[in-house]
Amino acid sequence: MEEKKKKTMGFNIIKNDPTDGHKGFGIGSLSLENVSPVIIDVEEGEAIVDIGAMHARSAVERGIKFLKTKEEVPNGKPYWLVWVTIDRKPEGPYYAGVTACEMTVDRSIRRGYKSLPEHVNKMDKSMKRHIMVNHMDDKSKKVLADFLKNHDQQLWSNSLDQLKKDLVD
């Protein structure tokens, strides 16, 4: 019997303008349709898109009680939750907003640390086309840069120089 490969999820696709034909209804509102959460496992050097993170239900977060301070989870495994927003400009689609949030998880005690307000605020900043990755460690920046390039070279090529500089330099 042949095992089926687990289907991997890609980035959310840019859809047509939802306000077309509505004469202003919804103008100025932000849409989650173009935002995707990328989880970086710092120790393994891997990055994956996990749509469950949109509602704090990623594979990393499931079954974990999150505490308010990092010190309460001294043996936590480090992760980054990176909010990636894709937008379109005349040259084509690009990575418009990329922001990173810290998270640690200790599976053995089913506890972790993350700042929910920080996660929400960083998602908002990503949706508003901010690049905030300077606080990431160099190894994780390289993992993220490689992941974004390999996912879609055109999106990477069309992206702002700030993103490339912040992740690669």
Side-chain angles (χ1 to χ4, degrees):
M1 185 149 153
E2 195 175 309
E3 272 189 49
K4 289 186 178 181
K5 279 192 172 185
K6 187 176 176 184
K7 188 175 181 182
T8 57
M9 200 100 181
F11 284 102
N12 286 336
I13 304 301
I14 297 175
K15 297 186 179 177
N16 293 333
D17 185 357
T19 61
D20 278 354
H22 290 290
K23 305 211 187 309
F25 179 78
I27 297 287
S29 63
L30 295 172
S31 169
L32 293 174
E33 287 182 344
N34 302 335
V35 179
S36 296
V38 175
I39 305 276
I40 296 176
D41 182 327
V42 177
E43 292 175 359
E44 299 296 324
E46 296 176 344
I48 61 160
V49 174
D50 190 335
I51 297 300
M54 295 291 282
H55 301 286
R57 298 280 184 251
S58 68
V60 171
E61 296 166 294
R62 265 185 253 132
I64 301 297
K65 178 179 179 172
F66 285 95
L67 306 173
K68 295 185 187 305
T69 64
K70 201 174 185 177
E71 293 72 34
E72 293 177 272
V73 191
N75 299 319
K77 183 176 178 179
Y79 293 91
W80 289 101
L81 170 56
V82 183
W83 298 107
V84 179
T85 302
I86 298 175
D87 200 358
R88 188 178 301 279
K89 58 184 180 178
E91 298 83 27
Y94 70 108
Y95 298 119
V98 181
T99 58
C101 320
E102 185 180 17
M103 181 168 53
T104 61
V105 172
D106 186 340
R107 284 246 165 249
S108 67
I109 61 171
R110 296 177 49 143
R111 298 290 181 265
Y113 161 78
K114 71 177 178 180
S115 169
L116 188 56
E118 178 195 13
H119 284 228
V120 172
N121 289 335
K122 292 281 176 79
M123 180 174 64
D124 180 63
K125 294 285 189 192
S126 176
M127 291 167 51
K128 292 177 178 172
R129 314 309 188 246
H130 292 265
I131 307 293
M132 300 171 78
V133 294
N134 285 336
H135 57 293
M136 294 176 71
D137 60 283
D138 290 339
K139 178 183 175 186
S140 298
K141 284 182 188 181
K142 182 178 180 349
V143 169
L144 180 59
D146 291 345
F147 179 78
L148 294 175
K149 286 180 207 173
N150 293 334
H151 175 73
D152 191 319
Q153 186 61 46
Q154 182 191 8
L155 286 170
W156 178 258
S157 297
N158 291 341
S159 294
L160 300 176
D161 290 337
Q162 180 192 350
L163 175 64
K164 297 170 191 171
K165 180 181 157 294
D166 289 354
L167 286 179
V168 179
D169 290 346

